[in-house]
Amino acid sequence: MATSKSIRASLLRAGFEDDEIPALLGNIDVETGGSFDYRQVEDTSKPQKGYGLFQFTGGHLSDYLKYLKDTGQADSDDAQTNFVYENIYSKNPPHVIGAGNQKKIQDAFDSDDNASKSDTFARWYERFRGSEEDDTWIPNWLRGGMFDPFLGRFDNQHPSYNERYKRSKKYD
């Protein structure tokens, strides 16, 4: 059974740095409903269901399956984290998230701001419904403290961002 510790180790093996891990684990925690199971299938009535640690769908899932075949890997937590790492850092990624999006994530991961890492990964990699339309006027330095209970009430940011960020703090 997968745990946040085993997925942390997988993310490190893929090449992610220690300071990037909490934001990724917070997103994975939300995407898998806390199971950290690389075989997690989205619990939804929608015909197209997300799969895995990052809930791949559509072309993202097709590209992941092609990546497995091309690299000779079996589906696993390591294969999924390697795939995501390549998509963010490779000049020729197996799934193109867009050069602009790739750079946004790289820049956020280079920052010291965990909230920015979490939000940027959610917005430009996970790209859940409505993620690109939401914005917040609450500065990140106010997040992570006594203002957390009010996040999402005074801005128009999707509640999923705040949940991902809150969960990421557990893994810091």
Side-chain angles (χ1 to χ4, degrees):
M1 182 167 157
T3 65
S4 62
K5 287 183 182 180
S6 66
I7 300 304
R8 175 187 292 274
S10 179
L11 290 163
L12 287 169
R13 284 191 297 273
F16 289 104
E17 296 179 15
D18 277 326
D19 67 337
E20 298 167 341
I21 304 292
L24 292 163
L25 286 175
N27 273 274
I28 292 168
D29 193 342
V30 168
E31 293 291 334
T32 64
S35 75
F36 293 94
D37 183 355
Y38 74 87
R39 297 164 300 208
Q40 180 74 37
V41 176
E42 184 179 16
D43 183 14
T44 181
S45 60
K46 295 185 284 187
Q48 188 177 74
K49 299 181 183 327
Y51 174 76
L53 298 172
F54 302 91
Q55 294 296 285
F56 305 132
T57 58
H60 208 149
L61 179 57
S62 298
D63 286 346
Y64 172 65
L65 297 173
K66 182 179 182 316
Y67 171 80
L68 291 177
K69 185 177 177 184
D70 291 349
T71 61
Q73 296 181 69
D75 184 27
S76 67
D77 53 2
D78 282 344
Q80 290 182 22
T81 58
N82 287 334
F83 176 71
V84 171
Y85 183 85
E86 290 296 316
N87 292 336
I88 294 171
Y89 289 108
S90 177
K91 290 186 189 292
N92 297 305
H95 176 76
V96 177
I97 57 175
N101 296 344
Q102 192 181 42
K103 181 76 170 121
K104 288 174 191 173
I105 296 169
Q106 291 171 4
D107 289 347
F109 280 6
D110 284 342
S111 78
D112 291 332
D113 182 5
N114 191 38
S116 178
K117 291 174 188 179
S118 178
D119 289 353
T120 302
F121 183 78
R123 180 168 294 194
W124 301 111
Y125 194 90
E126 295 292 355
R127 300 179 80 167
F128 54 85
R129 182 184 305 258
S131 66
E132 296 174 27
E133 300 163 4
D134 293 336
D135 204 0
T136 183
W137 57 265
I138 296 177
N140 283 340
W141 61 269
L142 284 177
R143 294 171 72 188
M146 65 181 183
F147 293 101
D148 277 2
F150 305 105
L151 293 176
R153 293 184 184 169
F154 301 112
D155 62 2
N156 66 340
Q157 185 159 327
H158 194 287
S160 182
Y161 286 112
N162 295 320
E163 185 59 32
R164 291 163 196 267
Y165 174 61
K166 286 178 193 177
R167 292 189 192 192
S168 75
K169 293 187 298 183
K170 295 188 304 189
Y171 307 110
D172 216 354

